[in-house]
Amino acid sequence: MNIKAAAVTLRQNAWAPTFAPRFRSTWLRFGMLAAPHLRLTQRRGFLTFFLQKKQNLFCRMMISCADIACGNFEIDGETVADQTIAKYLNELTILTMLRVQGQASRIEIARHLSVTPATITRLVNNLIERGLVQDVELANADRQTAREPGRPATNVALNAAGAFFFGVEVGVEIIRFALVDLAANVVQTIERPFHNQMSPERVASEIGRQVNKLKKNPIYSDNLKGVGIAFPGIVRSDGFVVNLPLVGWRNVDFPNLLSQHIDLPFFIENDANAGAFGCVYNDPSLPNACNLFLKLDVGCGGAAIVDGRLLRGANGTAGEFGHLRLSDDGPLCGCGNRGCLESKIGLGAIARQFLGVHDLSNIELAHLPERIVEAARNGDIRALETMDSFTHWLALGLVSLVNLYNPSIIFLGGPVAKLAQAAVDRISQRVRDGVVSGIPAPTLMFSALDAFEGAIGAASIAHHHTFDISRVGVIGAR
């Protein structure tokens, strides 16, 4: 097939990996991509598929719905009987099933996919050859019921060491790193203080240094599949950093900088998006129809996850829950407005109310919530007033979010979540009393990922982009 003849009209969207600018124009013109990816876009009764071919060339395919079932595809006038797409989707489905539900027999996988046992045998064997899954022996009690005719009594399980994903969270004067495996288990976490100026160039260089250090380790060298990076501010879908007020960055083409240091696919996110995604992705037992996440720190970010996917908005900047306008007055927020939720419940606001100052060191700010909780338990009037104010404004913000999104769960993360944890019953009651009648109040939960929630979430996003079936979807034409 003539690649140049394949007219490709793509728009960069929330599911596209981030690429160096020098590749971007070529990708847009000829469908060339630097990482495995699949996108389904519904247009004029057809489905446009972008399928990875050899040498990372993605070709445009116009496929009717009937052709999908039988595997006959037309590419620029040529009819091709090709099962590559079905195979790819089935493999993603198997990997997602094993991650979410645990090990399963081949018969159970065949039923889940509605395919024949022979097809499952081929798919599983291919995944075993690639080191992504493995056969595991059953316990004696399960052997008789699970045994398939002619086969030993085994189940198929993820090979957790078959792939690894590196996550990075850029904070204020600190960078945190996390490594997760194919089963989305956290393998290791580290943090590096950045006492000097955190310039984009230095941060990109440090990320490259950590990635290359991992690649020199024989355990990870061939199995490091992707990198996720989380930033505390507004980031576009293509990874372009719009504004990070907490670290003083504005309009930074970070994908271009990072591509000079690493040669792996990478995915750049807002830190609240990453934290939210990590909470849900790392606990598949949770409902995922609609969950919200609020990161309570110096800043106050947020994210919504709908049907297992981040709700990003038109340009990838959705979820700035900290800038809900709750009043017309009050201290000036970092965004330049007054009355934002962040200016009421952020660490700076809490320090100002409890201590009368807001310019504490980062270490002092980090320990302030625990200090306030302890003082409130001992009956300190100033601490009790600070807790009451925090509870009032947080509940007011949550009521607006519940009325807008109708979530099942609201996760609270970040250091200030300790204040919310100490007053969770009061906050929950105020939310129940404040939402529109008929809208059920959500469950308030607290992130179990602690200080590394952003880095773990960023690694989980890289995992999701590479091996999770829920990232493949159909969207309406625009």
Side-chain angles (χ1 to χ4, degrees), residues 95 127-134 157-165 180-183 187 219-225 463 466-467:
L95 293 171
L127 292 173
I128 290 175
E129 289 175 8
R130 292 163 57 192
L132 300 177
V133 303
Q134 59 189 346
L158 284 181
N159 175 19
F164 295 93
F165 304 87
V180 304
D181 60 23
L182 182 56
V187 177
I219 298 175
Y220 311 123
S221 58
D222 295 328
N223 294 328
L224 192 59
K225 303 298 184 182
H463 183 297
T466 309
F467 284 127

Side-chain angles (χ1 to χ4, degrees), residues 389-410:
S389 174
F390 170 80
T391 301
H392 167 75
W393 290 112
L394 176 60
L396 203 61
L398 294 180
V399 166
S400 294
L401 293 175
V402 173
N403 287 337
L404 285 169
Y405 289 95
N406 179 215
S408 300
I409 300 172
I410 296 180

Side-chain angles (χ1 to χ4, degrees), residues 15-202:
W15 296 101
T18 306
F19 303 99
R22 63 177 179 271
F23 292 131
R24 199 172 293 149
S25 61
T26 307
W27 172 55
L28 290 171
R29 291 181 59 195
F30 304 123
M32 299 178 69
L33 285 173
H37 202 67
L38 180 67
R39 183 64 181 171
L40 293 75
T41 306
Q42 187 179 20
R43 288 191 180 144
R44 300 186 186 91
F46 289 89
L47 294 177
T48 302
F49 282 76
F50 300 107
L51 172 67
Q52 187 193 25
K53 290 296 185 181
K54 292 182 179 179
Q55 300 174 352
N56 294 326
L57 297 180
F58 276 62
C59 307
R60 185 183 184 189
M61 302 180 180
M62 299 303 291
I63 308 170
S64 69
C65 293
D67 286 333
I68 295 173
C70 64
N72 295 321
F73 310 131
E74 183 174 292
I75 308 176
D76 284 5
E78 299 179 44
T79 299
V80 181
D82 193 346
Q83 296 298 325
T84 305
I85 290 178
K87 175 174 174 287
Y88 176 74
L89 296 179
N90 282 334
E91 287 178 351
L92 287 185
T93 303
I94 292 172
L95 293 171
T96 302
M97 175 188 177
L98 297 178
R99 182 184 67 83
V100 173
Q101 301 179 20
Q103 60 180 257
S105 70
R106 285 168 171 78
I107 289 178
E108 290 171 330
I109 298 173
R111 289 172 181 160
H112 184 75
L113 270 66
S114 299
V115 298
T116 65
T119 299
I120 287 300
T121 297
R122 290 193 298 272
L123 292 169
V124 169
N125 287 345
N126 181 55
L127 292 173
I128 290 175
E129 289 175 8
R130 292 163 57 192
L132 300 177
V133 303
Q134 59 189 346
D135 280 317
V136 294
E137 291 189 9
L138 298 177
N140 290 333
D142 298 328
R143 286 176 179 269
Q144 192 61 37
T145 55
R147 181 167 181 168
E148 304 169 34
R151 293 194 60 85
T154 62
N155 271 354
V156 180
L158 284 181
N159 175 19
F164 295 93
F165 304 87
F166 193 52
V168 183
E169 180 185 17
V170 178
V172 179
E173 296 187 0
I174 195 167
I175 303 181
R176 295 185 175 92
F177 303 97
L179 187 70
V180 304
D181 60 23
L182 182 56
N185 300 315
V186 180
V187 177
Q188 63 176 249
T189 57
I190 58 174
E191 62 182 23
R192 293 284 183 269
F194 240 84
H195 297 304
N196 298 322
Q197 177 64 31
M198 293 181 66
S199 67
E201 293 78 12
R202 289 197 63 198

